[in-house]
Each structure stands twice: as C-alpha cells, then as structure tokens.
Amino acid sequence: MLAIIFFITLLLFASPLIIGFLGMLAPAFAWLPALNMHQPSLLGWQQLFAWPDLGHSISLTLLSGLGSTLLALWWCYLILRRYWLTPQWQKIERLLAPLLAFPHVAFVLGFGLMFSSTGWLARIWHHLGLADSFYPTLIHDRYGLGLLFALAIKETPFFIINEY
C-alpha cells in the first residue's frame, strides 16, 4: 500500500515536469497545432546541424557560462580570504542585501549604458583624448567577455552570501 501511495505522490509531483517537457519537445519536432502544423518533422534539427557556426556558438555559451561561474567563485574566495571576520566584513555584509535585491535587468541595462561603444566610459575615454580604436568592446564582443564579466559581477554577491 505504501508503494502505491509513493508512486501516486511521485506521479503528482512529476506531472508538471512531464507536461512541460512534452510541451517543449513537441515544437522542437515541428508539431504546433495552433500554427496548423500537424506533421512532426526533423527539418528544424537538420537546419540547426547544417548551420556553420553551431560549434562556435556552443563553445561561446560554455565559455561565458562556466567562465563567469569560475570567475565569480574566484572573486568570492578572494573577498572572503581578505575580509572574513575583520571590521570591513561588517560593511560588506551590509552591502550584500542591496546588491542581492538589485534586479538583474536593471544591472544589465546599467552595464550596457556604461560599457557600450557609445556609453559613459566611451565618452569619458573620448574626452580624455584617447583613441577611439583602443576602446574595449564589451557589448556584442566576439568572445563573450562582456557577458562573462557582467554575469560574474552580478553573481559574486550570491556566492558570498551562500558562504556564511
């Protein structure tokens, strides 16, 4: 009897995941009745694998995702190693709550306004008389370094708060 109750409970909790997975899988195979597409097809997958930059896109995704996580963990380690149980640590603790409450969208918008090629830092760079060609491109850069740094900056406070 206990096994039946366990199975029913497991089915109840897993049913939203199963339904969501099927809802994701059906359009992946071109079955969208709302768009009058009633025949499953592999055409989308064939076009995906025929795309010449697929490998580059996957490697860029892995670089920005894993690289930002490792960079944020390294920054977290350095901050904790330097400031743990010092008088400055209390200041860092007080700064964590606003940093964690700061919305991701607002952070990305501010990052874009500051680091884009027409952003605040580029304008300061230009007014200081520095050449425009040497300004680093962090928005839409080829290697995803801007995204990597933005994610690492935003996620470091989350790692710090999880450490104590």
Side-chain angles (χ1 to χ4, degrees), residues 58-76 143-156 159:
I58 291 172
S59 65
L60 204 56
T61 300
L62 290 174
L63 173 72
S64 62
L66 296 175
S68 65
T69 302
L70 292 174
L71 187 60
L73 280 171
W74 184 57
W75 287 344
C76 174
Y143 302 107
L145 297 177
L147 178 63
L148 187 144
F149 286 122
L151 288 171
I153 290 167
K154 182 61 183 154
E155 298 308 320
T156 299
F159 285 136

Side-chain angles (χ1 to χ4, degrees), residues 6-131:
F6 174 76
F7 182 73
I8 291 171
T9 305
L10 185 65
L11 189 62
L12 283 173
F13 281 105
S15 62
L17 294 173
I18 294 168
I19 293 169
F21 183 72
L22 292 175
M24 176 190 70
L25 202 59
F29 290 101
W31 187 73
L32 293 162
L35 297 177
N36 208 15
M37 298 171 72
H38 298 285
Q39 291 281 76
S41 170
L42 294 176
L43 181 62
W45 292 98
Q46 291 168 350
Q47 290 174 345
L48 173 70
F49 290 122
W51 186 43
D53 287 333
L54 179 64
H56 179 70
S57 296
I58 291 172
S59 65
L60 204 56
T61 300
L62 290 174
L63 173 72
S64 62
L66 296 175
S68 65
T69 302
L70 292 174
L71 187 60
L73 280 171
W74 184 57
W75 287 344
C76 174
Y77 168 73
L78 291 177
I79 291 169
L80 289 173
R81 192 180 84 185
R82 171 68 179 95
Y83 295 110
W84 183 254
L85 298 178
T86 64
Q88 293 91 358
W89 178 249
Q90 292 172 349
K91 294 176 186 174
I92 292 173
E93 279 184 317
R94 283 194 302 268
L95 285 174
L96 279 179
L99 286 175
L100 294 173
F102 195 63
H104 285 65
V105 174
F107 175 79
V108 170
L109 184 62
F111 189 87
L113 289 173
M114 183 170 289
F115 291 106
S116 68
S117 60
T118 58
W120 299 334
L121 289 181
R123 292 171 193 224
I124 292 170
W125 188 280
H126 178 72
H127 286 296
L128 289 176
L130 301 171

